Amino acid sequence: MSVPRKPLHKGMLVGGIVVGLGVGLVAFGLGAGVLAYTLVKKAEKEARAGWALVPVIVPQRDFAPGEVLTLDELAQRSAPEQLVTSSMVRPDSAAYVVGQALTVPVQAGEPLRWAFFAAATEKLEPSERLLSDECQRALDLQPNRPRPDQTAGKIRERLVGGGSR
């Protein structure tokens, strides 16, 4: 003997389709997410291939010109070897910059360069300063270049006070 079957109602059919679509969408979303994650990690690995990372010294906070660096305010950051030059301070030389005053503003995380310190540029021999003098002469030939030697007070006085340009 067979069991009598109940007739299907339209509501049950529509409900089954909706549930099936919902489960299918969730499964598709999870599969797509896993696939995307895998592809991103693979691309990241390929992008880093051949890039050896080396440590450089960076400040942990922003510094203004004239501020003195302390050891507690320095950190190491890895940078691609192809982008690191001899002008950047490396961890084995960090002791030389501790206690030195900066001559330029430096942002947190920016690799420190030897040229950022007055002590590094003051100790240059006159023959090594020749390039700087040549650069200065070239800059002096540019009449409209900004003049960093002017103080904020002088600039404000010139602009607000009606001084001559």
Side-chain angles (χ1 to χ4, degrees):
M1 228 171 154
S2 66
V3 178
R5 294 177 62 187
K6 291 184 183 179
L8 291 176
H9 296 305
K10 280 189 173 182
M12 290 176 54
L13 183 62
V14 172
I17 291 173
V18 170
V19 169
L21 282 175
V23 170
L25 285 175
V26 169
F28 176 77
L30 286 174
V34 169
L35 179 64
Y37 178 80
T38 304
L39 291 175
V40 166
K41 286 300 180 183
K42 181 181 176 192
E44 184 178 286
K45 186 177 180 181
E46 288 174 358
R48 289 185 179 173
W51 288 80
L53 298 178
V54 295
V56 293
I57 298 297
V58 299
Q60 292 185 16
R61 66 173 180 87
D62 292 350
F63 279 87
E67 286 190 75
V68 176
L69 293 175
T70 65
L71 187 59
D72 294 337
E73 296 170 321
L74 299 179
Q76 287 187 27
R77 171 191 245 177
S78 294
E81 186 177 35
Q82 293 89 332
L83 303 178
V84 175
T85 65
S86 62
S87 66
M88 293 181 183
V89 179
R90 303 287 297 271
D92 55 346
S93 303
Y96 295 112
V97 298
V98 173
Q100 298 293 324
L102 289 162
T103 58
V104 295
V106 181
Q107 294 181 343
E110 178 182 358
L112 290 177
R113 298 181 183 273
W114 292 110
F116 293 173
F117 302 95
T121 56
E122 290 171 354
K123 294 179 182 177
L124 293 176
E125 297 294 324
S127 61
E128 293 172 314
R129 291 185 190 173
L130 182 61
L131 179 63
S132 296
D133 291 340
E134 289 175 8
C135 289
Q136 186 61 46
R137 282 193 295 273
L139 286 173
D140 288 340
L141 294 176
Q142 298 177 359
N144 296 328
R145 76 174 177 94
R147 304 288 182 199
D149 53 341
Q150 293 184 349
T151 64
K154 289 181 182 179
I155 294 170
R156 186 179 303 110
E157 182 180 312
R158 179 178 52 118
L159 294 174
V160 178
S164 65
R165 291 185 181 208

Coordinates of all heavy atoms in Angstrom, one line a residue, residues 48-97:
R48 N 56.1 40.9 -3.0 CA 57.2 41.0 -2.1 C 58.4 40.2 -2.5 O 59.5 40.2 -1.9 CB 56.8 40.6 -0.7 CG 55.9 41.7 0.0 CD 55.6 41.3 1.4 NE 54.8 42.3 2.0 CZ 54.3 42.2 3.2 NH1 54.5 41.1 3.9 NH2 53.5 43.1 3.7
A49 N 58.2 39.3 -3.5 CA 59.3 38.4 -3.9 C 60.4 39.3 -4.4 O 60.3 40.2 -5.2 CB 58.8 37.5 -5.0
G50 N 61.6 38.9 -4.0 CA 62.8 39.7 -4.4 C 63.1 41.0 -3.7 O 64.1 41.6 -4.0
W51 N 62.2 41.3 -2.8 CA 62.5 42.5 -2.0 C 63.0 42.1 -0.6 O 62.2 41.8 0.3 CB 61.2 43.3 -1.8 CG 60.7 44.0 -3.1 CD1 60.1 43.4 -4.1 CD2 60.9 45.3 -3.5 NE1 59.8 44.3 -5.1 CE2 60.3 45.5 -4.7 CE3 61.5 46.4 -2.9 CZ2 60.3 46.7 -5.4 CZ3 61.5 47.6 -3.5 CH2 60.9 47.8 -4.8
A52 N 64.2 42.3 -0.4 CA 64.8 42.0 0.9 C 64.6 43.2 1.8 O 64.8 44.4 1.4 CB 66.3 41.7 0.8
L53 N 64.1 43.0 3.0 CA 63.8 44.1 3.9 C 65.0 44.3 4.8 O 65.6 43.3 5.3 CB 62.5 43.8 4.7 CG 61.2 43.7 3.9 CD1 60.1 43.3 4.8 CD2 61.0 44.9 3.1
V54 N 65.3 45.6 5.0 CA 66.4 45.9 6.0 C 65.9 47.0 6.9 O 65.0 47.8 6.6 CB 67.7 46.5 5.2 CG1 68.3 45.4 4.3 CG2 67.3 47.7 4.4
P55 N 66.4 47.0 8.2 CA 65.9 47.9 9.2 C 66.5 49.3 9.0 O 67.7 49.5 8.6 CB 66.4 47.3 10.5 CG 67.6 46.5 10.1 CD 67.4 46.0 8.7
V56 N 65.7 50.3 9.2 CA 66.2 51.7 9.3 C 65.6 52.4 10.6 O 64.7 51.8 11.2 CB 65.7 52.6 8.1 CG1 66.4 52.1 6.8 CG2 64.2 52.5 7.9
I57 N 66.1 53.5 11.0 CA 65.7 54.1 12.2 C 64.7 55.2 11.9 O 64.9 56.0 10.9 CB 66.9 54.8 13.0 CG1 67.9 53.7 13.4 CG2 66.4 55.6 14.2 CD1 67.3 52.7 14.4
V58 N 63.6 55.2 12.6 CA 62.5 56.2 12.4 C 62.1 56.8 13.8 O 62.2 56.1 14.8 CB 61.2 55.5 11.8 CG1 61.6 55.0 10.4 CG2 60.7 54.5 12.6
P59 N 61.6 58.0 13.8 CA 61.1 58.6 15.0 C 59.7 58.0 15.3 O 58.9 57.7 14.4 CB 61.1 60.1 14.8 CG 60.9 60.2 13.3 CD 61.6 59.0 12.7
Q60 N 59.3 57.9 16.6 CA 58.0 57.4 16.9 C 56.9 58.5 17.0 O 55.7 58.3 17.1 CB 58.0 56.7 18.3 CG 58.8 55.5 18.3 CD 58.7 54.7 19.6 OE1 57.9 55.0 20.4 NE2 59.7 53.8 19.8
R61 N 57.4 59.8 16.9 CA 56.4 60.9 16.9 C 57.0 62.0 16.0 O 58.1 61.9 15.5 CB 56.2 61.5 18.3 CG 57.5 62.1 18.9 CD 57.2 62.8 20.3 NE 58.4 63.4 20.8 CZ 58.8 64.6 20.6 NH1 58.1 65.4 19.7 NH2 59.9 65.1 21.1
D62 N 56.2 63.0 15.7 CA 56.6 64.1 14.9 C 57.6 65.0 15.7 O 57.4 65.2 16.9 CB 55.4 65.0 14.4 CG 54.5 64.2 13.5 OD1 54.9 63.1 13.0 OD2 53.4 64.7 13.2
F63 N 58.6 65.5 15.0 CA 59.6 66.3 15.6 C 59.7 67.6 14.8 O 59.6 67.7 13.6 CB 61.0 65.7 15.5 CG 61.2 64.7 16.6 CD1 60.8 63.4 16.5 CD2 61.8 65.1 17.8 CE1 61.0 62.4 17.4 CE2 62.0 64.1 18.8 CZ 61.6 62.8 18.6
A64 N 59.9 68.7 15.5 CA 60.1 70.0 14.9 C 61.6 70.3 14.9 O 62.4 69.7 15.6 CB 59.4 71.1 15.8
P65 N 62.0 71.2 14.0 CA 63.4 71.6 13.9 C 63.9 72.1 15.3 O 63.2 72.8 16.0 CB 63.5 72.7 12.9 CG 62.3 72.5 12.1 CD 61.2 71.9 13.0
G66 N 65.1 71.7 15.7 CA 65.7 72.1 17.0 C 65.4 71.1 18.1 O 66.1 71.1 19.1
E67 N 64.5 70.2 17.9 CA 64.2 69.2 19.0 C 65.3 68.2 19.0 O 65.9 67.8 18.0 CB 62.9 68.5 18.8 CG 61.7 69.4 19.1 CD 60.4 68.6 19.1 OE1 60.2 67.8 20.1 OE2 59.6 68.7 18.2
V68 N 65.6 67.6 20.2 CA 66.6 66.7 20.4 C 66.0 65.3 20.5 O 65.1 65.1 21.2 CB 67.5 67.0 21.6 CG1 68.5 66.0 21.9 CG2 68.1 68.4 21.5
L69 N 66.6 64.3 19.8 CA 66.2 62.9 19.8 C 66.6 62.2 21.0 O 67.8 62.4 21.5 CB 66.7 62.2 18.6 CG 66.1 62.6 17.2 CD1 66.8 61.9 16.1 CD2 64.6 62.4 17.2
T70 N 65.8 61.4 21.6 CA 66.2 60.5 22.7 C 66.0 59.0 22.2 O 65.2 58.8 21.3 CB 65.3 60.7 24.0 OG1 64.0 60.4 23.7 CG2 65.4 62.2 24.4
L71 N 66.6 58.1 22.9 CA 66.5 56.7 22.5 C 65.1 56.2 22.6 O 64.7 55.4 21.7 CB 67.5 55.9 23.3 CG 67.6 54.4 22.9 CD1 68.2 54.3 21.5 CD2 68.6 53.7 23.9
D72 N 64.3 56.6 23.6 CA 63.0 56.2 23.7 C 62.1 56.6 22.6 O 61.0 56.0 22.4 CB 62.4 56.7 25.1 CG 63.1 56.1 26.3 OD1 63.8 55.0 26.1 OD2 63.1 56.7 27.3
E73 N 62.4 57.6 21.9 CA 61.6 58.1 20.8 C 61.9 57.6 19.4 O 61.4 58.0 18.4 CB 61.6 59.7 20.8 CG 61.1 60.3 22.0 CD 61.4 61.7 22.2 OE1 62.5 62.2 21.8 OE2 60.5 62.5 22.6
L74 N 62.9 56.6 19.4 CA 63.3 56.0 18.1 C 62.8 54.6 18.0 O 62.5 53.9 19.0 CB 64.8 56.0 18.0 CG 65.5 57.4 18.0 CD1 67.0 57.2 18.0 CD2 65.0 58.2 16.9
A75 N 62.6 54.1 16.8 CA 62.1 52.8 16.5 C 62.8 52.3 15.2 O 63.4 53.1 14.5 CB 60.6 52.7 16.4
Q76 N 62.7 51.0 15.0 CA 63.1 50.4 13.8 C 61.9 50.1 12.9 O 60.9 49.8 13.3 CB 63.9 49.1 14.0 CG 65.2 49.2 14.6 CD 65.9 47.9 14.7 OE1 65.7 47.0 13.9 NE2 66.8 47.7 15.7
R77 N 62.2 50.3 11.6 CA 61.1 50.0 10.6 C 61.8 49.2 9.4 O 62.9 49.6 9.1 CB 60.5 51.2 10.1 CG 59.6 51.0 8.9 CD 59.1 52.3 8.3 NE 57.7 52.5 8.5 CZ 57.1 53.5 8.1 NH1 57.7 54.5 7.6 NH2 55.8 53.6 8.3
S78 N 61.2 48.3 8.9 CA 61.8 47.5 7.8 C 61.4 48.3 6.5 O 60.3 48.7 6.3 CB 61.2 46.1 7.7 OG 61.6 45.4 8.8
A79 N 62.4 48.4 5.6 CA 62.2 49.1 4.3 C 62.9 48.2 3.3 O 63.9 47.5 3.5 CB 62.9 50.5 4.4
P80 N 62.4 48.2 2.0 CA 63.0 47.5 1.0 C 64.4 47.9 0.7 O 64.7 49.1 0.7 CB 62.1 47.8 -0.3 CG 60.8 48.2 0.3 CD 61.1 48.9 1.6
E81 N 65.3 46.9 0.6 CA 66.7 47.2 0.5 C 67.0 48.1 -0.7 O 67.9 49.0 -0.7 CB 67.5 45.9 0.3 CG 69.0 46.0 0.3 CD 69.7 44.7 0.3 OE1 69.1 43.8 -0.4 OE2 70.7 44.6 0.9
Q82 N 66.2 48.0 -1.8 CA 66.4 48.8 -3.0 C 66.2 50.3 -2.7 O 66.6 51.1 -3.5 CB 65.5 48.3 -4.1 CG 65.9 46.9 -4.6 CD 65.1 45.8 -3.9 OE1 64.8 45.9 -2.7 NE2 64.9 44.7 -4.5
L83 N 65.4 50.6 -1.7 CA 65.1 52.0 -1.4 C 65.9 52.6 -0.3 O 65.8 53.8 -0.1 CB 63.6 52.1 -1.1 CG 62.6 51.5 -2.1 CD1 61.2 51.7 -1.6 CD2 62.8 52.3 -3.5
V84 N 66.7 51.8 0.4 CA 67.5 52.3 1.5 C 68.9 52.7 0.9 O 69.6 52.0 0.2 CB 67.7 51.2 2.6 CG1 68.6 51.7 3.7 CG2 66.3 50.9 3.1
T85 N 69.3 54.0 1.3 CA 70.5 54.5 0.8 C 71.5 54.7 2.0 O 71.0 54.6 3.2 CB 70.4 55.8 0.1 OG1 69.9 56.8 1.0 CG2 69.4 55.7 -1.1
S86 N 72.7 55.0 1.7 CA 73.7 55.3 2.8 C 73.4 56.5 3.6 O 73.9 56.7 4.6 CB 75.1 55.3 2.2 OG 75.2 56.4 1.3
S87 N 72.5 57.4 3.1 CA 72.1 58.6 3.8 C 71.1 58.4 4.9 O 70.9 59.2 5.7 CB 71.5 59.6 2.8 OG 70.3 59.2 2.3
M88 N 70.6 57.1 5.0 CA 69.6 56.8 6.0 C 70.3 56.2 7.2 O 71.3 55.5 7.1 CB 68.6 55.8 5.5 CG 67.7 56.4 4.5 SD 66.5 55.1 3.9 CE 65.7 56.0 2.7
V89 N 69.8 56.5 8.4 CA 70.4 56.1 9.6 C 70.0 54.6 9.9 O 68.8 54.3 9.9 CB 70.0 56.9 10.8 CG1 70.6 56.4 12.1 CG2 70.4 58.4 10.6
R90 N 71.0 53.7 10.0 CA 70.7 52.3 10.3 C 70.8 52.0 11.8 O 71.4 52.8 12.5 CB 71.7 51.5 9.5 CG 71.7 51.7 8.0 CD 70.5 51.1 7.2 NE 70.4 49.7 7.3 CZ 71.0 48.8 6.5 NH1 71.7 49.3 5.5 NH2 70.8 47.6 6.7
P91 N 70.3 50.9 12.2 CA 70.3 50.6 13.7 C 71.7 50.6 14.3 O 71.8 51.0 15.4 CB 69.6 49.2 13.7 CG 68.7 49.2 12.5 CD 69.4 50.0 11.5
D92 N 72.7 50.1 13.5 CA 74.0 50.0 14.1 C 74.6 51.4 14.3 O 75.6 51.6 15.0 CB 74.9 49.2 13.3 CG 75.0 49.6 11.8 OD1 74.1 50.4 11.4 OD2 75.9 49.2 11.1
S93 N 74.0 52.5 13.8 CA 74.5 53.8 13.9 C 73.6 54.7 14.7 O 73.7 55.9 14.8 CB 74.7 54.5 12.6 OG 75.6 53.7 11.8
A94 N 72.5 54.1 15.3 CA 71.5 54.9 16.0 C 72.1 55.7 17.2 O 71.6 56.8 17.5 CB 70.4 54.0 16.5
A95 N 73.1 55.2 17.8 CA 73.7 55.9 19.0 C 74.3 57.3 18.6 O 74.3 58.2 19.5 CB 74.8 55.0 19.6
Y96 N 74.6 57.4 17.4 CA 75.2 58.7 16.9 C 74.2 59.8 16.8 O 74.5 61.0 16.8 CB 75.9 58.6 15.6 CG 77.1 57.7 15.6 CD1 77.1 56.4 15.0 CD2 78.3 58.0 16.3 CE1 78.2 55.6 15.0 CE2 79.4 57.2 16.4 CZ 79.3 56.0 15.7 OH 80.4 55.2 15.8
V97 N 72.9 59.5 16.6 CA 71.9 60.5 16.5 C 71.1 60.8 17.8 O 70.5 61.8 17.9 CB 70.8 60.1 15.4 CG1 71.5 60.0 14.1 CG2 70.0 58.9 15.8

